[in-house]
Amino acid sequence: MTKREKKSRIIRQLVWLWAVWVLAAALSWTGVSALAAGFDTAVDMGRTDVTLTISYLYGTETEETKNLALENVTFTVFRVADLSPEGVFSLTDSFQGCGVEAGTLNQLDHASEEKTVIGILTSYAESSVEEYWQAVTDENGRAVISSLPVGLYLVTCEELTTETAVYTGSPALISIPTADMESMVWNYQATIQVKPEKTDLETLTTEEPSEPEKPSDTEEPSEPEAPSDTEEPSNTEEPSGSSEPEESSDTEETPEPGETPEHLPSPQTGDRAPLMALLAFLLLCGLALIVLFLYKRKQK
């Protein structure tokens, strides 16, 4: 092998290495498809059979209230963000300026952060968004909305008051389609379970502050005697029966958000900073190899 052929071979190897590095960095940066997460296909943006089923049941450990279906409750659903074939969210026109960035929606990892975001989106939707879908729960506590486009949805519900209690459901986020991690496919018939908080009407009544009790002694205090001495009037104490309103021992707990299993898709992009650093590192490595080759060639 001649000297020129050796040089040509080295150059081809460097070019191949460079191409491999650039391709790996590009795939990491764009997340081109859901294949990286083990999915066979990307999100089908043209699906017309997309449905959302809402389950609204109240349950405790007792048999009397286990899985109690709450009927005639109106749910309102807002489309917060579009969903790309790669599983990346971008805010819809209705939610532009809502105070939440699209990047935040792509990396909701903690329940506390999600609760804060849901609160901001709910306040904005109820005051500024006019496009939404509604459905009413049936005798089984289920409400179904059909023919939805894919995307990220905010699910809210009205408060339900019965003869004995008040049921309050917390708003929740759900992405359609959802990710079925067992079969590694997208599920376009999504289901969300909203868990209501129950407050007994008796508890609400006892929590209202009671009026102070009237003094048990209704006699008016006698006027003080003539100032023959410096003693205070003998009956100037406060009535023994008066007291401050007692605070109720039963305090209403702050409702926690409902459970929303598998409500966000797995393949989310998250923070791009590590990927940018990886790309920069690969570029520098390739550049260093080329400089090293040119230096050795010049030495020869």
Side-chain angles (χ1 to χ4, degrees):
M1 183 180 294
T2 63
K3 189 175 182 180
R4 176 174 296 182
E5 290 175 345
K6 290 182 179 180
K7 291 182 179 180
S8 300
R9 183 179 178 182
I10 294 174
I11 292 174
R12 287 196 300 269
Q13 291 176 348
L14 290 174
V15 171
W16 276 109
L17 288 173
W18 178 261
V20 170
W21 284 330
V22 172
L23 179 60
L27 289 175
S28 300
W29 166 252
T30 58
V32 169
S33 70
L35 294 175
F39 286 80
D40 295 333
T41 58
V43 177
D44 186 357
M45 309 301 295
R47 291 289 290 262
T48 58
D49 58 341
V50 178
T51 61
L52 173 61
T53 300
I54 303 169
S55 177
Y56 198 45
L57 305 175
Y58 176 77
T60 63
E61 295 300 327
T62 62
E63 293 294 336
E64 296 180 356
T65 58
K66 184 174 289 186
N67 295 331
L68 174 64
L70 300 180
E71 187 179 359
N72 294 326
V73 179
T74 300
F75 278 84
T76 304
V77 177
F78 302 90
R79 188 166 181 264
V80 176
D82 297 315
L83 183 64
S84 72
E86 294 80 31
V88 180
F89 296 126
S90 59
L91 291 171
T92 61
D93 293 338
S94 299
F95 279 84
Q96 295 292 335
C98 65
V100 177
E101 299 294 333
T104 303
L105 298 176
N106 287 312
Q107 49 187 359
L108 289 178
D109 298 328
H110 303 287
S112 58
E113 182 182 7
E114 182 177 340
K115 182 178 179 181
T116 302
V117 170
I118 290 175
I120 296 174
L121 293 175
T122 301
S123 299
Y124 182 83
E126 292 177 347
S127 62
S128 304
V129 179
E130 299 179 354
E131 183 179 356
Y132 51 82
W133 293 262
Q134 285 187 325
V136 180
T137 56
D138 57 17
E139 65 275 7
N140 297 317
R142 296 168 66 88
V144 180
I145 302 177
S146 304
S147 301
L148 293 171
V150 299
L152 180 66
Y153 289 88
L154 173 68
V155 180
T156 64
C157 69
E158 64 180 1
E159 190 176 77
L160 174 64
T161 302
T162 64
E163 296 179 356
T164 59
V166 176
Y167 297 90
T168 306
S170 299
L173 286 172
I174 182 170
S175 175
I176 307 177
T178 56
D180 189 339
M181 301 307 297
E182 294 183 359
S183 57
M184 304 307 293
V185 296
W186 295 110
N187 182 13
Y188 294 88
Q189 286 73 48
T191 299
I192 182 172
Q193 295 181 354
V194 180
K195 296 294 185 181
E197 292 289 337
K198 177 184 177 183
T199 304
D200 294 330
L201 291 180
E202 295 180 356
T203 303
L204 292 177
T205 303
T206 56
E207 286 180 353
E208 294 180 358
S210 58
E211 296 182 357
E213 298 179 0
K214 294 182 179 181
S216 57
D217 186 5
T218 57
E219 296 181 0
E220 296 181 358
S222 59
E223 296 182 359
E225 297 179 356
S228 58
D229 50 29
T230 58
E231 295 181 357
E232 295 293 332
S234 59
N235 194 17
T236 58
E237 297 180 357
E238 294 182 3
S240 60
S242 62
S243 62
E244 293 293 331
E246 296 183 357
E247 296 181 356
S248 172
S249 60
D250 298 331
T251 57
E252 184 179 358
E253 297 182 356
T254 304
E256 295 294 334
E259 299 179 2
T260 55
E262 299 182 358
H263 60 290
L264 293 177
S266 323
Q268 297 178 3
T269 57
D271 189 2
R272 300 295 189 185
L275 298 177
M276 290 292 295
L278 175 62
L279 180 60
F281 175 74
L282 295 175
L283 293 175
L284 289 175
C285 289
L287 183 59
L289 286 175
I290 293 177
V291 172
L292 180 61
F293 171 77
L294 295 177
Y295 175 76
K296 290 184 176 182
R297 182 178 179 184
K298 183 178 180 181
Q299 291 294 327
K300 293 180 179 180

